[in-house]
Structures are given as C-alpha cells and as structure tokens.
Amino acid sequence: MDRLTWEALLTFVLLVAGFISLYAAIHKRTNFARYSMTVLLIASGAPLAVMLVLESRRDALDANIGLGMAFFLTWLITALVFAASVIIWIVKKRKHG
C-alpha cells in the first residue's frame, strides 16, 4: 500500500472515531440521532472518497489540488467533530459531577 492509501485510511478511521465519540457524548441517543450521525458521516467523507476515486483514474503525475483540499476539508470536519464531542463531555461532566 502506498502513502496515499494509508493517509486516506487513517483519515476515514479518525472521521468515524470522531462521529462515534460525538454520538456517545450526546444525551438523547434516539433513532433520529443515529440516522443523523450516519448521514453526516457519509456527507463528511464523500468529498474525499470521490476525489480518491478520481485520483486513481488519472494518469497525470502532477499535484492534484482538489485532492489536497478534500483531505483538508475532511481533517477540518474531523477536528470540529472531536472538539464538539470533548466540549459536550466536559459540559456533561460538570453538570453531573
């Protein structure tokens, strides 16, 4: 496996872990919350997945700025999701503790 494959795999694993952490942090774990998290997870990973498929089909050896931006967007979303889950965990801990 090349470096791009490992970076993409790690990015998707961290994105999924962030959404699992956010789902675990919310107070009401209803079906709506579960489906909403699933839709948001798919929508967050879709740009990177599409750009990875397009990158695998191209023959050019130059840099793909769109792929870099897709990685950056996915990393930004992952960081925001992790930050939101940490904030929710802290607020929940202070409220009950």
XYZ file of all heavy atoms in Angstrom:
761
model
N 0.843 -1.183 0.000
C 0.000 0.000 0.000
C 0.887 1.243 0.000
O 1.859 1.313 0.737
C -0.900 -0.003 1.221
C -1.948 -1.103 1.217
S -2.850 -1.257 2.755
C -4.093 -0.036 2.573
N 0.493 2.198 -0.799
C 1.286 3.412 -0.877
C 0.865 4.415 0.195
O -0.067 4.183 0.964
C 1.205 4.012 -2.278
C -0.221 4.391 -2.656
O -1.150 3.848 -2.058
O -0.392 5.229 -3.561
N 1.567 5.525 0.225
C 1.345 6.523 1.264
C -0.051 7.134 1.205
O -0.683 7.358 2.237
C 2.403 7.611 1.111
C 2.304 8.666 2.145
C 3.412 9.667 2.001
N 3.177 10.758 2.929
C 3.764 11.909 2.855
N 4.629 12.141 1.899
N 3.501 12.849 3.720
N -0.551 7.394 0.015
C -1.883 7.980 -0.144
C -2.956 7.062 0.432
O -3.893 7.516 1.084
C -2.169 8.277 -1.622
C -3.527 8.876 -1.947
C -3.664 10.247 -1.294
C -3.710 8.976 -3.440
N -2.800 5.767 0.221
C -3.772 4.806 0.748
C -3.775 4.823 2.263
O -4.849 4.818 2.890
C -3.445 3.392 0.231
O -3.363 3.422 -1.190
C -4.495 2.399 0.659
N -2.598 4.849 2.871
C -2.518 4.879 4.334
C -3.088 6.176 4.902
O -3.791 6.147 5.924
C -1.074 4.695 4.798
C -0.620 3.282 4.715
C 0.276 2.761 3.842
C -1.073 2.181 5.518
N 0.413 1.412 4.048
C -0.393 1.029 5.080
C -1.981 2.059 6.556
C -0.596 -0.223 5.648
C -2.179 0.814 7.130
C -1.498 -0.307 6.674
N -2.799 7.290 4.259
C -3.342 8.567 4.727
C -4.865 8.593 4.621
O -5.546 9.085 5.524
C -2.748 9.716 3.926
C -1.318 10.022 4.275
C -0.734 11.131 3.433
O -1.454 11.704 2.583
O 0.449 11.434 3.627
N -5.388 8.080 3.529
C -6.840 8.046 3.356
C -7.484 7.120 4.376
O -8.515 7.464 4.973
C -7.191 7.597 1.942
N -6.894 5.961 4.603
C -7.434 5.016 5.578
C -7.431 5.610 6.977
O -8.436 5.537 7.700
C -6.632 3.719 5.541
C -7.112 2.597 6.444
C -8.483 2.114 5.992
C -6.125 1.453 6.432
N -6.326 6.222 7.368
C -6.240 6.848 8.684
C -7.231 7.999 8.813
O -7.864 8.172 9.855
C -4.815 7.341 8.942
C -4.578 8.007 10.290
C -4.841 7.036 11.437
C -3.167 8.542 10.368
N -7.403 8.771 7.751
C -8.353 9.877 7.774
C -9.776 9.378 7.975
O -10.528 9.916 8.796
C -8.256 10.688 6.464
O -6.932 11.208 6.353
C -9.250 11.823 6.437
N -10.164 8.330 7.256
C -11.509 7.789 7.413
C -11.705 7.162 8.794
O -12.777 7.297 9.393
C -11.820 6.769 6.321
C -12.144 7.396 4.992
C -11.424 7.062 3.854
C -13.153 8.328 4.861
C -11.706 7.627 2.628
C -13.453 8.912 3.647
C -12.726 8.560 2.523
N -10.693 6.494 9.323
C -10.797 5.903 10.666
C -10.981 6.993 11.713
O -11.825 6.869 12.612
C -9.557 5.024 10.977
C -9.484 4.677 12.435
C -9.588 3.764 10.133
N -10.215 8.078 11.611
C -10.363 9.179 12.561
C -11.721 9.866 12.418
O -12.313 10.285 13.422
C -9.240 10.190 12.370
C -7.865 9.748 12.850
C -6.818 10.797 12.486
C -7.862 9.494 14.336
N -12.214 9.983 11.199
C -13.536 10.583 10.989
C -14.625 9.735 11.640
O -15.496 10.260 12.344
C -13.814 10.752 9.492
C -15.115 11.436 9.104
C -15.116 12.888 9.572
C -15.321 11.367 7.611
N -14.561 8.438 11.447
C -15.544 7.541 12.063
C -15.421 7.594 13.587
O -16.435 7.651 14.298
C -15.375 6.102 11.531
C -16.200 5.125 12.335
C -15.767 6.038 10.067
N -14.192 7.594 14.109
C -13.994 7.667 15.562
C -14.553 8.966 16.127
O -15.138 8.973 17.215
C -12.513 7.538 15.885
N -14.397 10.053 15.400
C -14.948 11.329 15.850
C -16.467 11.302 15.938
O -17.052 11.783 16.908
N -17.113 10.733 14.935
C -18.571 10.661 14.970
C -19.068 9.679 16.023
O -20.109 9.912 16.642
C -19.126 10.319 13.585
C -19.328 11.530 12.727
C -18.379 11.901 11.794
C -20.453 12.322 12.865
C -18.539 13.027 11.008
C -20.642 13.449 12.088
C -19.677 13.806 11.153
N -18.343 8.606 16.260
C -18.713 7.680 17.339
C -18.586 8.385 18.688
O -19.455 8.250 19.560
C -17.863 6.396 17.276
C -18.275 5.562 16.073
C -18.003 5.585 18.564
C -17.384 4.368 15.815
N -17.528 9.153 18.856
C -17.337 9.910 20.092
C -18.442 10.944 20.286
O -18.954 11.119 21.395
C -15.971 10.591 20.069
O -15.805 11.421 21.180
N -18.811 11.626 19.218
C -19.892 12.613 19.304
C -21.217 11.944 19.624
O -21.986 12.437 20.453
C -19.993 13.406 18.004
C -21.021 14.531 17.982
C -20.675 15.595 19.015
C -21.105 15.141 16.598
N -21.488 10.812 19.008
C -22.744 10.095 19.290
C -22.777 9.615 20.737
O -23.816 9.666 21.392
C -22.904 8.914 18.330
C -24.165 8.127 18.570
C -25.404 8.648 18.223
C -24.128 6.872 19.158
C -26.565 7.949 18.447
C -25.283 6.157 19.385
C -26.500 6.691 19.033
O -27.645 5.999 19.270
N -21.633 9.176 21.241
C -21.586 8.719 22.635
C -21.747 9.875 23.613
O -22.208 9.676 24.740
C -20.275 7.987 22.897
N -21.385 11.078 23.193
C -21.443 12.230 24.085
C -22.832 12.856 24.181
O -23.126 13.520 25.169
C -20.446 13.292 23.626
N -23.663 12.661 23.165
C -24.974 13.322 23.199
C -25.873 12.640 24.225
O -25.723 11.471 24.536
C -25.647 13.352 21.807
C -25.862 11.948 21.264
C -24.850 14.191 20.848
C -26.606 11.919 19.948
N -26.807 13.428 24.736
C -27.649 12.952 25.821
C -28.725 11.980 25.350
O -28.938 10.937 25.950
C -28.322 14.145 26.518
C -27.346 15.095 27.114
N -26.578 14.785 28.207
C -26.994 16.348 26.756
C -25.802 15.810 28.506
N -26.038 16.776 27.633
N -29.401 12.326 24.294
C -30.502 11.503 23.804
C -30.037 10.687 22.613
O -29.815 11.222 21.536
C -31.686 12.379 23.405
C -32.254 13.152 24.553
C -33.402 14.010 24.104
C -33.941 14.820 25.273
N -35.016 15.685 24.876
N -29.911 9.399 22.786
C -29.474 8.519 21.699
C -30.695 7.878 21.038
O -30.975 6.709 21.233
C -28.527 7.463 22.230
C -27.245 8.052 22.726
C -26.252 6.990 23.079
N -25.143 7.609 23.769
C -24.678 7.221 24.926
N -25.213 6.199 25.538
N -23.675 7.828 25.478
N -31.405 8.671 20.287
C -32.615 8.202 19.616
C -32.263 7.704 18.222
O -31.124 7.829 17.766
C -33.629 9.351 19.507
O -33.045 10.392 18.727
C -34.002 9.887 20.880
N -33.253 7.131 17.560
C -33.042 6.698 16.179
C -32.727 7.885 15.279
O -31.910 7.771 14.361
C -34.271 5.965 15.646
C -34.372 4.564 16.194
O -33.381 3.989 16.625
N -35.563 4.019 16.177
N -33.370 9.022 15.535
C -33.101 10.215 14.743
C -31.642 10.644 14.877
O -31.002 10.994 13.898
C -34.029 11.363 15.158
C -33.766 12.637 14.417
C -34.160 12.771 13.091
C -33.116 13.692 15.027
C -33.912 13.938 12.393
C -32.855 14.860 14.335
C -33.261 14.985 13.013
N -31.109 10.596 16.092
C -29.705 10.962 16.305
C -28.778 9.984 15.591
O -27.780 10.388 14.980
C -29.392 10.986 17.797
N -29.102 8.711 15.646
C -28.278 7.701 14.979
C -28.283 7.906 13.468
O -27.228 7.890 12.820
C -28.791 6.305 15.317
C -27.927 5.199 14.751
C -28.425 3.812 15.131
N -28.730 3.708 16.544
C -29.920 3.296 17.020
N -30.885 2.953 16.201
N -30.123 3.220 18.308
N -29.455 8.118 12.899
C -29.541 8.323 11.454
C -28.899 9.650 11.041
O -28.265 9.726 9.993
C -30.989 8.250 10.984
C -31.624 6.906 11.198
C -32.924 6.783 11.638
C -30.909 5.735 10.973
C -33.503 5.542 11.839
C -31.475 4.488 11.172
C -32.774 4.403 11.601
O -33.337 3.177 11.799
N -29.061 10.673 11.858
C -28.445 11.962 11.559
C -26.922 11.846 11.556
O -26.253 12.387 10.676
C -28.867 13.012 12.586
O -30.242 13.216 12.532
N -26.377 11.156 12.542
C -24.926 10.960 12.595
C -24.436 10.165 11.390
O -23.375 10.461 10.830
C -24.512 10.240 13.882
C -24.675 11.043 15.113
S -23.519 12.413 15.144
C -24.155 13.317 16.507
N -25.206 9.173 10.985
C -24.814 8.371 9.822
C -24.817 9.214 8.548
O -23.873 9.145 7.749
C -25.768 7.170 9.666
O -25.762 6.412 10.877
C -25.341 6.289 8.518
N -25.840 10.019 8.367
C -25.921 10.876 7.178
C -24.794 11.909 7.198
O -24.143 12.153 6.169
C -27.302 11.565 7.097
C -27.318 12.676 6.068
C -28.379 10.536 6.784
N -24.531 12.511 8.354
C -23.449 13.488 8.447
C -22.085 12.845 8.211
O -21.210 13.446 7.584
C -23.476 14.173 9.815
C -24.618 15.155 10.039
C -24.621 15.642 11.481
C -24.508 16.318 9.085
N -21.905 11.625 8.688
C -20.648 10.912 8.461
C -20.435 10.644 6.972
O -19.349 10.888 6.438
C -20.639 9.596 9.239
C -19.466 8.656 8.978
C -18.160 9.290 9.414
C -19.679 7.339 9.690
N -21.461 10.176 6.306
C -21.357 9.904 4.866
C -21.120 11.203 4.092
O -20.275 11.256 3.193
C -22.611 9.166 4.365
C -22.648 7.749 4.959
C -22.660 9.119 2.845
C -23.942 7.022 4.750
N -21.834 12.257 4.464
C -21.661 13.540 3.784
C -20.265 14.124 4.044
O -19.703 14.794 3.176
C -22.733 14.526 4.240
N -19.707 13.861 5.196
C -18.373 14.380 5.522
C -17.276 13.623 4.796
O -16.244 14.205 4.441
C -18.128 14.294 7.023
O -19.062 15.055 7.727
N -17.460 12.343 4.589
C -16.440 11.542 3.926
C -16.577 11.469 2.424
O -15.637 11.064 1.728
N -17.714 11.867 1.902
C -17.971 11.749 0.464
C -17.011 12.560 -0.416
O -16.528 12.034 -1.418
C -19.420 12.122 0.159
N -16.701 13.821 -0.083
C -15.782 14.560 -0.959
C -14.409 13.887 -1.091
O -13.861 13.803 -2.187
C -15.647 15.931 -0.285
C -16.855 16.073 0.541
C -17.229 14.692 0.975
N -13.900 13.383 0.015
C -12.604 12.712 -0.044
C -12.701 11.408 -0.823
O -11.819 11.095 -1.626
C -12.062 12.457 1.364
C -10.703 11.778 1.431
C -9.650 12.595 0.693
C -10.296 11.536 2.864
N -13.766 10.665 -0.617
C -13.934 9.403 -1.338
C -14.024 9.643 -2.847
O -13.396 8.922 -3.632
C -15.176 8.671 -0.838
N -14.773 10.645 -3.245
C -14.909 10.954 -4.670
C -13.569 11.377 -5.255
O -13.171 10.914 -6.331
C -15.982 12.052 -4.889
C -15.927 12.601 -6.298
C -17.356 11.498 -4.575
N -12.843 12.230 -4.552
C -11.545 12.689 -5.057
C -10.525 11.559 -5.105
O -9.674 11.531 -5.995
C -11.018 13.847 -4.211
C -11.804 15.137 -4.390
S -11.959 15.688 -6.104
C -10.275 16.004 -6.531
N -10.598 10.610 -4.182
C -9.688 9.463 -4.229
C -9.968 8.589 -5.445
O -9.039 8.096 -6.096
C -9.795 8.642 -2.936
C -9.131 9.262 -1.719
C -9.545 8.514 -0.466
C -7.624 9.273 -1.873
N -11.238 8.397 -5.760
C -11.591 7.614 -6.946
C -11.123 8.331 -8.208
O -10.545 7.720 -9.111
C -13.115 7.345 -6.993
C -13.535 6.777 -8.337
C -13.517 6.406 -5.870
N -11.345 9.626 -8.276
C -10.905 10.391 -9.446
C -9.380 10.384 -9.569
O -8.843 10.312 -10.672
C -11.423 11.826 -9.369
C -12.936 11.999 -9.511
C -13.320 13.461 -9.311
C -13.412 11.486 -10.852
N -8.682 10.443 -8.451
C -7.218 10.415 -8.472
C -6.692 9.066 -8.952
O -5.704 8.994 -9.669
C -6.663 10.725 -7.081
C -5.164 10.640 -6.946
C -4.423 11.698 -7.741
O -5.020 12.731 -8.099
O -3.228 11.481 -8.018
N -7.378 7.994 -8.580
C -6.922 6.666 -9.003
C -7.115 6.448 -10.501
O -6.436 5.617 -11.095
C -7.666 5.577 -8.229
O -9.019 5.517 -8.619
N -7.999 7.207 -11.121
C -8.265 7.050 -12.554
C -7.427 7.973 -13.430
O -7.417 7.811 -14.639
C -9.743 7.299 -12.843
C -10.605 6.232 -12.245
C -12.054 6.524 -12.523
N -12.812 5.330 -12.226
C -13.648 4.767 -13.062
N -13.876 5.311 -14.228
N -14.283 3.675 -12.723
N -6.732 8.929 -12.832
C -5.970 9.844 -13.678
C -4.535 9.369 -13.840
O -3.971 8.726 -12.962
C -6.045 11.279 -13.197
C -5.642 11.684 -11.990
C -5.891 13.128 -11.622
N -4.660 13.561 -10.960
C -4.018 14.649 -11.241
N -4.487 15.468 -12.130
N -2.911 14.952 -10.606
N -3.973 9.716 -14.977
C -2.632 9.259 -15.324
C -1.564 10.336 -15.128
O -0.382 10.050 -15.264
C -2.595 8.795 -16.779
C -3.467 7.566 -17.002
O -3.591 6.762 -16.068
O -4.014 7.434 -18.107
N -1.969 11.533 -14.827
C -1.010 12.635 -14.699
C -0.172 12.464 -13.433
O -0.634 11.924 -12.429
C -1.753 13.960 -14.653
N 1.050 12.943 -13.496
C 1.957 12.834 -12.363
C 2.066 14.127 -11.571
O 2.818 14.191 -10.605
C 3.352 12.421 -12.855
C 3.433 11.045 -13.495
C 4.838 10.798 -14.021
C 3.032 9.968 -12.513
N 1.323 15.142 -11.956
C 1.401 16.408 -11.246
C 0.527 16.391 -9.993
O -0.181 15.428 -9.718
C 0.998 17.564 -12.167
C -0.418 17.410 -12.703
O -0.929 16.287 -12.660
O -0.993 18.405 -13.169
N 0.587 17.450 -9.233
C -0.176 17.540 -7.985
C -1.661 17.735 -8.273
O -2.043 18.389 -9.242
C 0.332 18.709 -7.154
N -2.480 17.165 -7.428
C -3.923 17.306 -7.543
C -4.390 18.187 -6.387
O -4.506 17.723 -5.249
C -4.590 15.931 -7.499
C -6.070 15.997 -7.771
O -6.666 17.066 -7.750
N -6.668 14.849 -8.004
N -4.632 19.444 -6.662
C -5.029 20.399 -5.635
C -6.384 20.032 -5.046
O -6.624 20.178 -3.860
C -5.058 21.833 -6.208
C -3.688 22.214 -6.742
C -5.531 22.829 -5.163
C -2.573 22.165 -5.738
N -7.281 19.523 -5.875
C -8.600 19.124 -5.389
C -8.521 18.019 -4.356
O -9.256 18.025 -3.367
N -7.630 17.079 -4.552
C -7.444 16.001 -3.577
C -6.909 16.558 -2.265
O -7.358 16.171 -1.185
C -6.507 14.931 -4.135
C -6.233 13.739 -3.226
C -7.515 12.975 -2.943
C -5.195 12.835 -3.864
N -5.976 17.473 -2.350
C -5.446 18.101 -1.138
C -6.513 18.866 -0.385
O -6.579 18.812 0.849
N -7.350 19.572 -1.110
C -8.438 20.312 -0.464
C -9.468 19.361 0.150
O -10.041 19.658 1.199
C -9.113 21.255 -1.471
C -8.202 22.381 -1.942
S -7.575 23.399 -0.610
C -9.052 24.246 -0.140
N -9.709 18.221 -0.487
C -10.635 17.232 0.075
C -10.080 16.662 1.382
O -10.820 16.479 2.348
C -10.893 16.116 -0.932
N -8.776 16.385 1.405
C -8.149 15.935 2.656
C -8.262 17.014 3.724
O -8.611 16.724 4.874
C -6.668 15.596 2.440
C -6.419 14.149 2.129
C -6.049 13.763 0.861
C -6.540 13.178 3.107
C -5.805 12.436 0.558
C -6.307 11.846 2.820
C -5.929 11.478 1.552
N -7.961 18.248 3.353
C -8.026 19.347 4.310
C -9.440 19.518 4.862
O -9.621 19.692 6.070
C -7.551 20.645 3.651
C -7.525 21.807 4.592
C -6.588 21.885 5.606
C -8.446 22.830 4.459
C -6.573 22.955 6.477
C -8.433 23.903 5.325
C -7.499 23.969 6.338
N -10.449 19.465 4.009
C -11.835 19.588 4.450
C -12.205 18.456 5.406
O -12.825 18.685 6.446
C -12.779 19.590 3.247
C -14.274 19.620 3.560
C -14.656 20.932 4.219
C -15.084 19.392 2.298
N -11.803 17.240 5.083
C -12.120 16.098 5.934
C -11.414 16.215 7.279
O -11.997 15.914 8.329
C -11.743 14.789 5.238
O -12.362 14.758 3.945
C -12.201 13.584 6.031
N -10.163 16.663 7.279
C -9.450 16.850 8.545
C -10.079 17.953 9.380
O -10.174 17.844 10.608
C -7.986 17.172 8.288
C -7.202 16.050 7.693
C -7.484 14.715 7.764
C -6.020 16.161 6.909
N -6.546 13.998 7.068
C -5.633 14.856 6.540
C -5.252 17.232 6.489
C -4.511 14.603 5.776
C -4.131 16.984 5.724
C -3.765 15.680 5.379
N -10.536 19.017 8.727
C -11.202 20.100 9.441
C -12.506 19.619 10.079
O -12.776 19.910 11.242
C -11.466 21.271 8.486
C -12.151 22.488 9.091
C -11.217 23.179 10.071
C -12.565 23.453 7.997
N -13.288 18.872 9.330
C -14.540 18.328 9.866
C -14.247 17.383 11.025
O -14.925 17.417 12.059
C -15.352 17.629 8.762
C -15.868 18.658 7.758
C -16.499 16.820 9.345
C -16.460 18.054 6.502
N -13.223 16.546 10.887
C -12.850 15.618 11.956
C -12.466 16.377 13.216
O -12.885 16.016 14.320
C -11.690 14.711 11.504
O -12.091 14.009 10.326
C -11.314 13.724 12.575
N -11.671 17.425 13.077
C -11.266 18.225 14.233
C -12.466 18.890 14.897
O -12.566 18.912 16.137
C -10.243 19.272 13.810
N -13.387 19.414 14.102
C -14.583 20.050 14.666
C -15.471 19.047 15.393
O -16.017 19.348 16.464
C -15.370 20.754 13.558
C -14.716 22.003 12.972
C -15.530 22.525 11.789
C -14.561 23.072 14.029
N -15.598 17.856 14.838
C -16.426 16.829 15.476
C -15.795 16.387 16.798
O -16.485 16.246 17.816
C -16.641 15.628 14.525
C -17.233 14.442 15.242
C -17.533 16.043 13.369
N -14.477 16.179 16.797
C -13.797 15.817 18.045
C -13.915 16.932 19.076
O -14.153 16.674 20.255
C -12.321 15.496 17.799
C -12.057 14.039 17.551
C -11.444 13.634 16.376
C -12.399 13.075 18.480
C -11.195 12.306 16.126
C -12.153 11.736 18.245
C -11.545 11.347 17.066
N -13.752 18.196 18.653
C -13.870 19.320 19.577
C -15.278 19.408 20.150
O -15.448 19.637 21.358
C -13.495 20.621 18.871
N -16.283 19.203 19.312
C -17.668 19.234 19.797
C -17.917 18.121 20.802
O -18.568 18.340 21.835
C -18.634 19.116 18.622
N -17.394 16.940 20.544
C -17.610 15.835 21.483
C -16.891 16.078 22.803
O -17.433 15.782 23.875
C -17.187 14.506 20.869
O -15.798 14.458 20.668
N -15.691 16.666 22.762
C -14.972 16.973 24.001
C -15.721 18.032 24.796
O -15.862 17.917 26.019
C -13.528 17.428 23.682
C -12.867 18.051 24.899
C -12.709 16.257 23.187
N -16.232 19.052 24.128
C -16.993 20.097 24.812
C -18.252 19.512 25.447
O -18.581 19.821 26.598
C -17.330 21.245 23.839
C -16.060 22.010 23.499
C -18.389 22.172 24.424
C -16.212 23.002 22.368
N -18.949 18.656 24.722
C -20.161 18.038 25.274
C -19.813 17.165 26.470
O -20.514 17.174 27.492
C -20.908 17.246 24.186
C -21.487 18.206 23.159
C -22.015 16.394 24.795
C -22.069 17.526 21.936
N -18.709 16.393 26.387
C -18.290 15.556 27.520
C -17.965 16.419 28.743
O -18.326 16.067 29.873
C -17.075 14.709 27.158
C -17.371 13.494 26.364
C -17.084 13.287 25.053
C -18.018 12.295 26.800
N -17.517 12.054 24.648
C -18.085 11.416 25.705
C -18.554 11.877 28.007
C -18.661 10.161 25.788
C -19.127 10.626 28.093
C -19.179 9.791 26.997
N -17.275 17.545 28.546
C -16.910 18.418 29.669
C -18.153 19.036 30.295
O -18.287 19.064 31.524
C -15.912 19.500 29.199
C -14.562 18.863 28.889
C -15.764 20.592 30.251
C -13.571 19.799 28.234
N -19.060 19.528 29.471
C -20.292 20.121 29.995
C -21.110 19.080 30.753
O -21.637 19.344 31.847
C -21.116 20.751 28.853
C -22.518 21.107 29.305
C -20.398 21.968 28.299
N -21.191 17.870 30.203
C -21.933 16.813 30.871
C -21.289 16.449 32.209
O -21.961 16.229 33.198
C -21.987 15.578 29.969
C -22.874 14.464 30.515
C -22.729 13.179 29.736
C -23.361 13.195 28.392
N -23.361 11.868 27.735
N -19.955 16.404 32.242
C -19.240 16.043 33.457
C -19.420 17.112 34.529
O -19.605 16.789 35.696
C -17.754 15.867 33.126
C -16.979 15.204 34.178
C -17.347 13.760 34.228
C -16.262 12.996 34.964
N -16.655 11.633 35.204
N -19.367 18.387 34.145
C -19.559 19.474 35.110
C -20.990 19.521 35.624
O -21.221 19.875 36.771
C -19.211 20.807 34.480
C -17.740 21.004 34.345
C -17.439 22.403 33.904
N -16.004 22.595 33.805
C -15.449 23.719 33.457
N -16.204 24.758 33.171
N -14.140 23.822 33.384
N -21.931 19.194 34.777
C -23.336 19.246 35.166
C -23.684 18.155 36.188
O -24.441 18.378 37.115
C -24.218 19.095 33.930
C -25.636 19.527 34.104
C -26.383 19.354 32.812
C -26.920 20.682 32.360
N -27.755 20.561 31.166
N -23.097 16.975 35.991
C -23.408 15.843 36.872
C -22.379 15.617 37.971
O -22.582 14.791 38.826
C -23.524 14.553 36.054
C -24.666 14.556 35.092
N -25.938 14.879 35.458
C -24.706 14.296 33.775
C -26.734 14.805 34.402
N -26.007 14.459 33.352
N -21.281 16.328 37.904
C -20.235 15.970 38.797
C -19.821 16.870 39.849
O -19.296 16.636 40.827
